[in-house]
Amino acid sequence: MENRFHVRPELCIACKSCELACAFTHSSLQGQPGKSRINIKVIKADESRLINTPLICLQCDEAACATICPTNALQWNLETGALVHHDLRCVRCHLCVAACPFGNIYFDPVTDYPVKCDLCDGDPMCVKFCPSGAITWLPLTEAEVNRIQPEINEEADTD
Amino acid sequence: MCQDFSRLPEIIARHRQSSESLIMILQDIQQEYHYLPPEALTLTAETLAVPLSKVASIATFYNSFSLKPRGKNIVKVCLGTACHIRGARLIQDQLEHKLGISAGETTSDSEYTLEAVACVGACAMAPVVIVNEKYHGSLNVNKAAKLLKRK
Amino acid sequence: MCIKNSRQLKQVQRDFLTRDKQFTRKALICCGTGCLANGAQAIVDEFRIVMKKKRITGFSFEAVRSTGCHGFCEQGPLVIIEPEGIFYTKVKTSQVTDIIDTTIRKGVVIERLLFTNPVDGQKITHYPEVDFFTHQQRIVLRNLGKIAPHDIKEYIGNGGYAALDKALRRMQPQEVIDEISRSGLRGRGGGGFSTGRKWQTCADVESEMRYVVCNGDEGDPGAFMDRSIMEGDPHAVLEGMIIAAYAVGANQGYIYVREEYPLAVIHVQKAIEDCREIGLLGKNIFGTEFSFDIRIARGAGAFVCGESSALMKSVAGEVGEPRAKYIRSVVKGLYDQPTVLNNVETYANVPIIIDKGANWYCKIGTPKSAGTKVFSLVGKVRNTGLIEVPMGITLRRIIFDVGGGIIDDRPFKAVQTGGPSGGCLPDSMLDLPVDFDTLTANGSMMGSGGMIVMDDLTCMVDVARYFLEFLVKESCGKCVPCREGLYQLHGLVQKVCAGQGSEQDLDRMEQLSEVIVRGSLCGLGQSGPNPLLSTLKYFREEYLEHILHRRCPAGVCRDLIIYTINEKCTGCGACVKPCADVAITGEKKKLHVIDQDKCTQCGACMAVCNFDAVEVH
Amino acid sequence: MVTLTINGKQIKAPAGEMLLETIRRQDIEIPALCHHAAVEPFGACRLCTVEITRQSWDGWKNYVTSCLFPVEEGLIVQTHSSEVTRIRCTILDLLLASSPNSRVIQDLASEYGILASSYVVDAAGDDCILCGLCTRVCSELGMNAIATVERGRLKKVDTPFSEPSASCIGCTICAQVCPTGHIRFEERGLKRKIWYKEFKLIACSECGRSLKLTPEMKQYFSERQQLPEDYLEQCADCKQKQTVDRFNRIIDRSEEVI
C-alpha cells in the first residue's frame, strides 16, 4: 500500500526534530550530518500568530525538477515511490532547484549537489520523530481524503 | 585582408547537404582559398546545420586543413619512411634554410608555404618534394634547392 | 547503355577485343604517380602529336594507353610496346618519334632505351624477363600497367565484372560468403582477419541497413599499394565491393580515399560514374533485384583514420577519434549499423576468387595465408617499386631477387614491415617466410604492405625515433597512454640519439611500452611501440653504442657525429652552397675544411659530394 | 542477470551493465576520471582498466577499461592485480608529468604511491587531462559551444576560434563536471563569466538573490521541456514562503468555514 505525507501545519510546534532526524539520516560517509530535506518555515501570520509549516517534497507525479533535468539525474524509485536525486548523474546545472514550484529541492552548501526528500527508503524518519503529529505518513487513500494539496492548486489557479 | 566570399555558397551547394559532406566541403573551400577563412567555417556550419564547434574541431584535427592563410606556392616535403632513410631531413633543412622559415610557416611575402607531410605514396622515388601538386622525385639537396625560384 | 544480362556483358567484351585486334601494335605508357612525376604525361602528349603528323596504319590514338602503375617506378617513365612486350625505361619526349618510327612501325628494338640489368649489365628486351617481374605473381595487380584505368570497357574487355555477373546470377549470397571463406582470404589491411568470417558475422547481424566500406586511407609512411591499385585498376576494387555488398546484403558503400592521392580520387570517381551509367551501380544491378551504390569519402590527413572506428567517424563527417571496440564494427560500425570494412587490396582479390574459385586461390601462398601480397618495396634497395609475391616467399627473395639487392652493394641491415605498427627484422631473419603469422611471431607484422629496406647507413635508433615522432604527431590525443606515453617514449629515444641516454632508460622504454600496448584505446597506441621494441630486441648493441660510447655507428644521429673532409677533395665547391651554416671554407681546387664550431652536422655536404671526400665519424 | 567473479567473489549483475558500475557497487575503489553517469562512457583516461580472464582462456589475460566493458557471464575480473596497478601507476605518472599542478592528479597519484613523476615534467602543463567530459556534456545538452581543437598533445578544449560562442548559454556544467577543476568561471553577484563570455544571472523576483541561472538557460530549458516560465523566477526560499502563505490562507479560510 502506497503511503503519502500528510502535513498539518496547525499541529506543528516548530521543534525541528524532523529536520534533525533528516540531517542525521542523510549523514555523509564521514559522519557529517547532511542538509535536511525537510524545512520548517515559520511565518508571521499576523501580529499575534506564527505559523509553522514543515515543508517537504510532495513527490509530484509530473515533477518539474525531473522534467527539466538535462541528464535524468532524478529518477523514480518504484519500490518506495520516491523521486530520487542521483548525484552520479548530476551535472549541477541548478535547473531543478529553480524549477520546483514549491521550493522543496535545495542545494547542499557543502557538496553543491541538489538534495531532496528520498522518503528514507520508504520509512520517513521525520515522521517518526515528529512529537506532535504535524507530519504523518498515511496510506494513499487516507492521506488523499485529508489532503489539502488540491486546494493549493485551486488557489494557485485562481491567483 | 578583404576577401571575396561570394563563391562560398556555390562551393557548399556542390555537395550533398549533409554532415557527411563536411570534410569534402572544407577541402573544396581550402582548394579555392588555400586556407579555411573563419567566415567559411561559419557559413558551412550554418548551411549544414552542424555546430560551429564541430566544424572548428574538424578543421584543426585533420592535417590538410589550415586556418592560417598560406602562400601562393605550397611546397610539401614528404617525410615518409622511405624518404626519411633516403635523407628527407636534409631536404627539409635545405628548404627551410633557403626560405628562412620552418616547416608549417609561410614566407613574409606570402610566396611560399613550406609543409612537412607524412607519406605521399611516391616512395619508389624517394626523397620526394611536391611543389604545387607537382611531384619531384629522387632529389638531393642541390636539386631540391633549385625547385624554389629564389636565390 | 545499360547492361542487363550476361549476354550484353559478353557483347561489350567482344566489341572491345575486336576493336583491339585492329591494332598491330600498342603503346602502354605508365601513368602512375611515379611515372607522371617523371614526365609520363608529356610522353603521352608527344605520342599523340607525332601520330597526328604521321599517319600509321594499324595504330591510332586508342592504341596509346595511359595505364596504371607497373610498379617499377624507379625506372619511369615506362613505355611498353605490345604485343612483343618490349620494355623501354626512362623515356624522354625527344625519343618518342624514334619509338614510333622504329619500334611501332617496324617492330625493331631500340637498344639504348632498354633496361640494363644492374646485376650483370645486360640489356633486357622484354618486360617479363626483367628480374623485378620474373619473381612476382601478379593476381591483384593483373591489370595494372595493362589497361587504361579510366576506361570501363577495357576492364570489361579483360574479363572484368564477369565475377560479379557470376555472383549475382548463379550464386546465393551465402554461397559467395562460403566461397570467400574457403579461399582463406585474410584482410590485407594488416590485421589478417579472415574476410569470409567477417562477412559472415556482418550478414548474421539482424539489421535493416548494412554498409560496405573500403579503407583506402593508406596512412603508413612508405606504402603505396592501395594508391596504385585505386589509380591503376579502380574497377577491381569496385567489383569486389559490389560482390561484398551482395554477399552481406548492403545497399550503400563508401570508399575512403586519402586526400593525398588526388589521382586515385579522380579515377575512382570516374569508375563509379561509369558503373552507374551502365547499371553496375545504383538500382537493379545487372537487371537483378539487387541495388547498391558507392560514394567517395575523402580523408583529410590523419593516420588514425586507418583505424576502423576512426575511419567510420571520418566517413560520417566527424573528427576521426577511435572508440573502444568491445562491440566490433562489423556488428556496430558506420552509423551504428553492421559494416564490412576491408582494405583496397582485399576487395581487389575478391573478383578473381569468385571467378576462378576458392580451390584455385587457396593453392597460392601458404595454408594459413592464402594468396599473394602486394608490397611497396622501397628504401635502400636497387629496384624500388610495387611488387606482388605469393605468401610464404622469403624476405631474402623479395629483397635480393625482386629488389635486386642493396644500393651500392652495401650490407643489408634491416627490413621494416608494417609501418608504424610493425617492426624491423635483422639479416638473421631474412629467410623467414613472409606470412601473417610468422611476421607477427617475430615482432613485426604484415601491415598493409610497406617494406622498407635499410642498409648500414641507417641508424636503427633513429628509425625508432622517426616512427615515434610520427606517431606522436598522429596520435588523436584521446587516451592518455598513447598521447602522453608515446610522447615520453619519444623523449627517451631522443635522449639516446643525443648521447644522453643510460642503460636504465632502455628498461624504462620497455616498461612504458608494455603499458602503452596494454592500456591504449586503439590499434595506433597498442602497436605504436612496436618499431621501438623490435629494434631494441634485434639491435640492442646499437642502442648501447649510443649510450656507452656516445657513437652512432651509422653516422646519422647528429649529436654524436662530426663531418670532416679528406684528401679526396678536389675543391669543386659543391659542398659550399648547400651548407646552411656557412661552415665550409676553402679555395677553388684546393682542399676544403669544415669549421667544427659552426657545423651543425646536417650532412648536406656529404650528400652532394661526388668524390667521397666528406667523411662522418 | 549474469554471474561473474570480481576479486574472487561471485557477483550477480544485470546484463548490459558496464563493469565499472558493478565493481563500484561492491564498494571497490577504482579511479575513473573521464567517467560520468550523465554521458556515454568514453574510455579516455584508462584508469579504470581491469584485468579480465575466463576459465576457458587457459591463463591468458586481457586488459579492458571497465567503464566501457559490459559484464559477461563467467567473467573473472581482477581490479587491483599487480599488472593492473602497474598500468594505473604508469598512467598516473604520465598524467602527473603533463598536469603537474593538478591537485586531483597529485592526490590520486600519491594514493598509488607516486609523489613525483618519473617522466619529463611539463612545467607549463595545465590541469586539463582531455577527459572530454566537458565537451560531451555540452554536446549532450545540445549546445555544442565547446569542442576539442587540434589533436595529440596540442589538443585542447575551446570555443570556435577562441572567441565567445554564440551557442554558449553560460550553464557552467562543463566546469561542474571537470574532474580536475581546469575549467573555471567567475561569478560575482549577478554576473558570470565563462568561455570569454559574460552573462547576467537571473535574480529572484522576490528577494533579488541570484538563482544561478542565466536568461539563456531559462529560455532554452523552459522551451525544451515546456515548463511554465514562472517556475524559474524565484529562489527556493521565497517559493517556500509563498507555499506557507498559501497554506496560511487556506487554513484561514477553512477556519472561517467552520
Side-chain angles (χ1 to χ4, degrees):
Chain A
M1 186 62 166
E2 208 179 323
N3 280 27
R4 282 282 158 94
F5 280 121
H6 183 212
V7 178
R8 276 174 290 183
E10 66 276 20
L11 298 182
C12 178
I13 53 170
C15 67
K16 307 222 170 196
S17 304
C18 54
E19 291 187 12
L20 281 174
C22 183
F24 281 102
T25 309
H26 297 97
S27 294
S28 69
L29 289 174
Q30 289 76 32
Q32 289 290 320
K35 181 166 173 64
S36 169
R37 280 91 166 127
I38 185 164
N39 188 14
I40 297 181
K41 205 83 196 167
V42 183
I43 282 194
K44 229 179 194 170
D46 50 52
E47 284 305 311
S48 60
R49 198 162 59 107
L50 291 174
I51 294 193
N52 316 317
T53 314
L55 287 171
I56 190 149
C57 171
L58 302 167
Q59 317 290 350
C60 312
D61 285 341
E62 282 176 37
C65 55
T67 311
I68 205 162
C69 177
T71 60
N72 281 329
L74 289 139
Q75 292 176 348
W76 291 101
N77 179 330
L78 297 177
E79 270 169 46
T80 62
L83 183 60
V84 183
H85 180 265
H86 296 274
D87 284 2
L88 280 176
R89 293 191 70 92
C90 175
V91 292
R92 294 189 280 201
C93 63
H94 296 237
L95 281 163
C96 52
V97 175
C100 175
F102 308 106
N104 284 338
I105 177 163
Y106 344 88
F107 264 96
D108 184 332
V110 181
T111 62
D112 205 25
Y113 279 111
V115 291
K116 73 177 285 301
C117 172
D118 57 1
L119 300 179
C120 299
D121 286 335
D123 186 15
M125 285 307 187
C126 45
V127 174
K128 286 196 170 167
F129 282 81
C130 178
S132 61
I135 173 161
T136 45
W137 183 236
L138 300 174
L140 183 60
T141 44
E142 217 171 306
E144 205 65 56
V145 174
N146 297 312
R147 207 167 185 189
I148 48 173
Q149 156 100 27
E151 289 179 59
I152 295 181
N153 285 344
E154 202 178 284
E155 173 81 1
D157 286 345
T158 53
D159 259 15
Chain B
M1 199 179 357
C2 186
Q3 262 189 319
D4 177 20
F5 294 118
S6 56
R7 278 180 46 71
L8 278 176
E10 187 204 316
I11 296 174
I12 300 173
R14 262 189 255 159
H15 296 267
R16 292 192 324 127
Q17 302 298 296
S18 114
S19 57
E20 221 174 65
S21 321
L22 180 53
I23 293 174
M24 286 187 271
I25 289 175
L26 295 183
Q27 283 167 339
D28 284 3
I29 294 173
Q30 172 139 323
Q31 191 88 39
E32 176 84 17
Y33 296 98
H34 298 294
Y35 81 110
L36 295 174
E39 291 82 354
L41 296 190
T42 315
L43 189 69
T44 312
E46 277 168 16
T47 321
L48 298 183
V50 175
L52 180 60
S53 64
K54 296 230 155 139
V55 179
S57 203
I58 283 169
T60 51
F61 182 86
Y62 293 99
N63 273 341
S64 60
F65 297 128
S66 167
L67 292 182
K68 282 185 291 183
R70 298 197 296 172
K72 275 187 209 133
N73 302 294
I74 315 272
V75 182
K76 294 181 184 168
V77 189
C78 176
L79 295 184
T81 321
C83 292
H84 175 76
I85 65 168
R86 285 198 183 182
R89 196 160 56 149
L90 286 180
I91 310 265
Q92 187 189 340
D93 286 351
Q94 186 64 213
L95 295 176
E96 284 183 351
H97 170 63
K98 199 95 183 173
L99 293 171
I101 52 172
S102 303
E105 294 176 349
T106 303
T107 52
S108 51
D109 61 358
S110 300
E111 278 294 314
Y112 284 96
T113 294
L114 183 64
E115 286 176 355
V117 296
C119 192
V120 296
C123 320
M125 354 182 273
V128 180
V129 170
I130 305 173
V131 184
N132 299 333
E133 310 290 306
K134 192 169 169 9
Y135 288 68
H136 302 269
S138 311
L139 293 174
N140 63 29
V141 246
N142 281 349
K143 274 200 223 164
K146 278 183 202 142
L147 294 175
L148 307 176
K149 290 183 209 82
R150 49 162 63 193
K151 49 178 175 40
Chain C
M1 179 188 68
C2 206
I3 300 179
K4 288 228 169 69
N5 53 44
S6 311
R7 205 163 35 86
Q8 287 171 345
L9 183 74
K10 286 253 162 62
Q11 190 56 47
V12 175
Q13 187 180 3
R14 267 199 301 272
D15 289 349
F16 173 80
L17 292 175
T18 324
R19 195 198 57 181
D20 218 35
K21 271 188 200 139
Q22 300 165 26
F23 313 124
T24 38
R25 285 202 178 78
K26 282 176 288 180
L28 309 182
I29 299 153
C30 174
C31 284
T33 297
C35 287
L36 281 180
N38 288 324
Q41 191 55 50
I43 306 281
V44 176
D45 295 343
E46 184 69 14
F47 255 98
R48 301 207 160 142
I49 292 166
V50 177
M51 277 166 49
K52 234 181 201 168
K53 279 192 229 150
K54 313 177 182 212
R55 293 261 167 93
I56 310 164
T57 47
F59 193 71
S60 79
F61 285 171
E62 284 169 12
V64 179
R65 303 240 163 96
S66 16
T67 69
C69 181
H70 288 267
F72 208 11
C73 314
E74 176 90 287
Q75 295 291 323
L78 306 175
V79 177
I80 294 171
I81 308 296
E82 294 281 15
E84 293 91 340
I86 299 164
F87 185 52
Y88 291 146
T89 59
K90 295 190 176 169
V91 178
K92 294 191 180 66
T93 43
S94 56
Q95 295 157 337
V96 169
T97 315
D98 201 13
I99 294 177
I100 290 181
D101 285 342
T102 321
T103 314
I104 289 181
R105 278 191 157 156
K106 303 175 195 145
V108 177
V109 176
I110 307 168
E111 278 283 316
R112 68 195 151 88
L113 287 176
L114 293 175
F115 174 65
T116 316
N117 188 346
V119 182
D120 54 13
Q122 291 285 308
K123 292 276 183 191
I124 297 169
T125 313
H126 298 112
Y127 172 71
E129 291 159 12
V130 179
D131 276 351
F132 183 73
F133 296 107
T134 41
H135 298 282
Q136 294 192 41
Q137 181 172 9
R138 293 172 84 111
I139 293 174
V140 175
L141 306 181
R142 60 193 179 276
N143 286 328
L144 264 83
K146 293 218 175 76
I147 67 167
H150 43 264
D151 187 355
I152 189 169
K153 284 187 194 144
E154 281 212 31
Y155 183 69
I156 296 176
N158 282 282
Y161 289 112
L164 176 65
D165 185 57
K166 179 179 173 187
L168 287 186
R169 282 183 213 291
R170 283 184 277 152
M171 295 168 88
Q172 290 299 312
Q174 187 57 47
E175 290 177 82
V176 176
I177 297 179
D178 291 344
E179 193 74 10
I180 297 295
S181 297
R182 278 198 298 119
S183 75
L185 177 66
R186 294 171 69 171
R188 297 294 195 255
F193 191 80
S194 158
T195 305
R197 196 131 53 98
K198 190 186 270 186
W199 292 12
Q200 188 70 64
T201 315
C202 181
D204 288 347
V205 181
E206 263 185 51
S207 174
E208 292 275 299
M209 195 69 197
R210 288 189 182 80
Y211 293 100
V212 164
V213 181
C214 174
N215 183 352
D217 185 65
E218 190 171 44
D220 286 15
F224 59 101
M225 301 76 53
D226 296 347
R227 164 177 211 152
S228 304
I229 297 171
M230 285 188 287
E231 282 177 6
D233 198 12
H235 284 289
V237 185
L238 297 190
E239 189 176 358
M241 284 179 74
I242 304 171
I243 294 172
Y246 172 70
V248 303
N251 299 109
Q252 181 62 53
Y254 290 86
I255 177 160
Y256 188 85
V257 192
R258 291 181 81 196
E259 197 208 18
E260 288 89 336
Y261 293 175
L263 194 62
V265 175
I266 293 168
H267 283 184
V268 172
Q269 186 67 53
K270 174 83 167 60
I272 291 176
E273 280 160 19
D274 288 349
C275 278
R276 284 193 190 135
E277 205 183 305
I278 65 166
L280 294 181
L281 277 177
K283 287 228 161 76
N284 303 102
I285 292 174
F286 266 151
T288 64
E289 289 295 292
F290 173 60
S291 301
F292 177 67
D293 205 354
I294 297 178
R295 275 191 216 121
I296 291 190
R298 266 185 278 157
F303 175 65
V304 70
C305 287
E307 197 275 346
S308 61
S309 62
L311 182 140
M312 288 173 195
K313 281 204 169 177
S314 191
V315 168
E318 289 177 42
V319 162
E321 269 178 14
R323 64 164 177 84
K325 288 191 290 183
Y326 300 131
I327 302 170
R328 280 182 292 129
S329 57
V330 64
V331 177
K332 200 175 166 186
L334 186 61
Y335 299 115
D336 288 342
Q337 302 303 318
T339 304
V340 161
L341 174 75
N342 284 123
N343 104 320
V344 170
E345 194 186 331
T346 315
Y347 284 123
N349 267 297
V350 170
I352 202 157
I353 295 174
I354 296 298
D355 199 25
K356 298 203 175 183
N359 291 339
W360 169 83
Y361 189 82
C362 63
K363 286 197 191 98
I364 306 164
T366 68
K368 280 193 170 172
S369 302
T372 58
K373 178 76 194 92
V374 180
F375 287 102
S376 72
L377 182 64
V378 293
K380 303 283 186 74
V381 68
R382 269 207 195 92
N383 304 333
T384 58
L386 192 72
I387 62 165
E388 182 175 351
V389 287
M391 296 269 191
I393 189 174
T394 61
L395 285 166
R396 189 184 300 282
R397 284 198 53 203
I398 294 180
I399 295 163
F400 289 92
D401 294 349
V402 182
I406 311 295
I407 294 180
D408 297 337
D409 281 323
R410 297 200 73 95
F412 167 87
K413 186 173 194 174
V415 57
Q416 210 277 344
T417 60
S421 313
C424 298
L425 298 174
D427 55 358
S428 60
M429 305 262 160
L430 270 178
D431 292 309
L432 281 185
V434 174
D435 63 56
F436 288 105
D437 312 299
T438 312
L439 289 181
T440 310
N442 287 284
S444 184
M445 67 183 269
M446 180 75 90
S448 57
M451 187 174 274
I452 298 127
V453 180
M454 301 168 184
D455 63 4
D456 64 333
L457 294 179
T458 316
C459 170
M460 300 316 286
V461 187
D462 179 67
V463 168
R465 188 202 56 77
Y466 163 80
F467 278 114
L468 283 170
E469 187 178 305
F470 174 82
L471 289 169
V472 168
K473 258 193 246 162
E474 293 295 334
S475 165
C476 80
K478 179 171 174 176
C479 78
V480 181
C482 174
R483 181 183 74 233
E484 302 297 337
L486 290 175
Y487 166 77
Q488 295 288 354
L489 207 54
H490 175 253
L492 286 168
V493 180
Q494 188 95 51
K495 234 172 103 184
V496 175
C497 285
Q500 290 156 356
S502 66
E503 280 184 83
Q504 289 94 299
D505 284 341
L506 299 186
D507 299 335
R508 299 202 54 208
M509 283 179 202
E510 278 169 340
Q511 283 161 8
L512 179 54
S513 296
E514 255 176 67
V515 172
I516 297 172
V517 170
R518 289 204 165 143
S520 293
L521 176 74
C522 81
L524 188 145
Q526 285 160 8
S527 61
N530 283 357
L532 172 76
L533 290 174
S534 66
T535 49
L536 260 180
K537 183 170 166 195
Y538 297 120
F539 301 94
R540 206 178 178 93
E541 317 82 66
E542 201 162 331
Y543 280 85
L544 291 173
E545 195 68 22
H546 281 72
I547 292 167
L548 300 176
H549 304 113
R550 292 180 44 78
R551 219 174 67 83
C552 175
V556 173
C557 297
R558 291 184 180 178
D559 291 318
L560 305 179
I561 52 173
I562 54 164
Y563 287 95
T564 53
I565 298 175
N566 63 25
E567 65 286 352
K568 285 187 197 156
C569 177
T570 59
C572 71
C575 55
V576 179
K577 216 163 63 175
C579 181
D581 315 310
V582 214
I584 304 178
T585 48
E587 282 176 44
K588 263 211 158 123
K589 295 193 177 167
K590 283 194 178 146
L591 191 76
H592 281 47
V593 196
I594 299 177
D595 180 346
Q596 296 301 338
D597 291 337
K598 285 186 184 162
C599 177
T600 54
Q601 289 82 31
C602 74
C605 48
M606 184 154 142
V608 296
C609 181
N610 292 323
F611 306 97
D612 289 335
V614 183
E615 284 177 355
V616 58
H617 310 280
Chain D
M1 282 297 215
V2 296
T3 313
L4 67 163
T5 315
I6 298 178
N7 294 351
K9 208 172 116 194
Q10 278 226 336
I11 279 152
K12 278 198 187 307
E17 185 178 65
M18 293 300 160
L19 200 45
L20 179 66
E21 286 170 55
T22 321
I23 293 170
R24 285 196 165 163
R25 211 154 358 99
Q26 310 305 312
D27 280 334
I28 300 168
E29 276 275 329
I30 288 193
L33 292 172
C34 68
H35 180 79
H36 196 290
V39 284
E40 293 282 304
F42 195 54
C45 77
R46 322 300 290 171
L47 284 169
C48 69
T49 298
V50 295
E51 185 179 288
I52 58 165
T53 186
R54 288 173 168 282
Q55 215 82 60
S56 57
W57 284 1
D58 236 6
W60 187 75
K61 288 165 185 152
N62 197 9
Y63 297 87
V64 296
T65 39
S66 55
C67 65
L68 276 163
F69 197 88
V71 288
E72 287 171 5
E73 183 67 37
L75 208 63
I76 303 167
V77 183
Q78 286 292 334
T79 62
H80 287 77
S81 72
S82 61
E83 183 56 25
V84 169
T85 312
R86 194 168 76 108
I87 292 174
R88 227 170 268 159
C89 284
T90 310
I91 292 169
L92 285 170
D93 200 346
L94 290 167
L95 282 175
L96 198 56
S98 61
S99 302
N101 305 315
S102 162
R103 268 319 284 266
V104 176
I105 302 295
Q106 285 167 2
D107 291 350
L108 201 51
S110 68
E111 264 178 51
Y112 279 79
I114 304 163
L115 299 176
S117 177
S118 58
Y119 296 103
V120 181
V121 173
D122 180 3
D126 59 26
D127 292 357
C128 179
I129 56 162
L130 291 169
C131 68
L133 273 178
C134 50
T135 56
R136 282 182 287 150
V137 290
C138 191
S139 155
E140 187 82 0
L141 246 54
M143 308 324 306
N144 287 299
I146 50 170
T148 55
V149 288
E150 302 287 344
R151 69 170 180 220
R153 291 202 84 247
L154 299 175
K155 198 178 208 171
K156 59 173 186 167
V157 176
D158 208 344
T159 58
F161 319 117
S162 302
E163 284 169 7
S165 161
S167 32
C168 180
I169 56 169
C171 65
T172 72
I173 60 166
C174 48
Q176 299 288 0
V177 296
C178 178
T180 59
H182 170 68
I183 302 180
R184 300 212 176 116
F185 63 95
E186 270 174 47
E187 198 164 302
R188 279 210 196 97
L190 289 174
K191 261 191 196 157
R192 178 186 279 174
K193 227 177 132 179
I194 187 164
W195 292 117
Y196 326 107
K197 199 170 172 182
E198 242 187 61
F199 295 89
K200 242 179 23 209
L201 295 178
I202 301 175
C204 173
S205 61
E206 296 290 319
C207 66
R209 259 183 297 179
S210 167
L211 287 191
K212 304 203 167 191
L213 287 189
T214 64
E216 289 87 348
M217 285 171 79
K218 177 177 158 182
Q219 200 200 340
Y220 179 72
F221 284 103
S222 52
E223 263 173 34
R224 185 168 100 156
Q225 311 291 20
Q226 298 184 323
L227 280 183
E229 286 214 1
D230 61 347
Y231 274 24
L232 299 163
E233 275 176 354
Q234 286 140 7
C235 69
D237 200 36
C238 290
K239 278 192 268 194
Q240 286 200 335
K241 267 187 203 152
Q242 285 176 343
T243 313
V244 174
D245 206 39
R246 271 181 256 162
F247 260 123
N248 189 10
R249 271 183 278 160
I250 292 162
I251 292 165
D252 280 357
R253 229 188 316 165
S254 48
E255 272 171 5
E256 273 166 31
V257 173
I258 291 162

